[in-house]
Amino acid sequence: MQDRYTPEQVETWRRDGAVVIKDFFTPEEVAAVVADFDAVFGREGADAGLEKKQAGEVGRFHPSQFKDIQPVPIECSPALNLIGVHPALIAFAKEALATDDVRVYQCQSWAKFTGDSDYDQPWHTDFSNHTLTVPSEDATKNTVTILCYFSDVSDAHGPMNYVTRPDAAEVSSPVDSLSRDMDVQKRIQTDLTRRGRSSASTAGTAIPYCIDVYHRGTNLTAPKGHRYALMTCFKKAKDDSIGFTAWQFHHTKPWANIFNHATPEQLACFGVQRPGDPFWTPTTIERAQLRYPGWDLTPWKEAMR
Ligand SMILES: [Fe+2]
């Protein structure tokens, strides 16, 4: 998996808090995921019936920015359902978080279309809805969010913009960033804009970033443009301080699309015990098979022998 990214890129993630990795996914992987995006979200142009955030209200959040988000599992092929737990993404997350066991705690596809919203967001960090407290100063104790592009994203296609951790440190201390003084916040927003970098890149790019890194969504201005992306977030196993999705709560979704095609390591990202775990007995295996008739439990059965 090392050929998907370099040790230097992991180091850049640790130092800067974000790194743009072009050609992380192969053209074949991208094509299969795009076919799913087209089937699930595909259309040309804006959604006419939508209550929109109007252009001009620059730098605000609005529900219409988040309209076309679908967490996994999704009614489509295994390509989109499993791309967020691609072995190379798991490998990157393990290295980044300095652990050999990770969990995926958010994994969602996100389609954006020119005109559906003004997608411009303020500079923000993602920790507020991933933890109830604040980020650790040690990146390995936080998380890695990986934004993956499955369409070519120019500056007219709403690339995430970000500010590296060293650049942001010139603008705001960790304490300033939580100031309730609106003048301080306005100054931080302005100063971050001067240091912002675009993540514009081609389909197949992966952009791992930290929960304490300033970033913002930007608007789509390309005529009839769209942006197909996936957000997948990893944490260390047994880290109860981090969360977003309780997968079990969404049990009515089409989990067979994941169970019937995933490896034991991919299922472990969702909390499914690996082969050899004492959880697995003849009875739990038989019952799991009844719940997911298409799940190939051979590795779990063999590990029990
Ligand atoms: Fe964000």
Side-chain angles (χ1 to χ4, degrees), residues 121 124-126 209 215:
Q121 293 176 343
H124 66 278
T125 54
D126 281 346
Y209 65 98
H215 62 281

Side-chain angles (χ1 to χ4, degrees), residues 150-198:
F150 292 99
S151 55
D152 289 338
V153 179
S154 75
D155 280 319
H157 293 86
M160 179 190 76
N161 284 7
Y162 66 99
V163 178
T164 66
R165 200 181 280 124
D167 283 354
E170 295 172 4
V171 172
S172 158
S173 72
V175 171
D176 274 352
S177 71
L178 287 170
S179 169
R180 293 176 196 275
D181 183 332
M182 287 315 291
D183 289 336
V184 172
Q185 289 302 338
K186 268 188 207 158
R187 199 242 335 129
I188 290 174
Q189 290 287 320
T190 305
D191 290 350
L192 288 172
T193 298
R194 290 199 192 101
R195 291 163 175 80
R197 298 174 194 222
S198 169

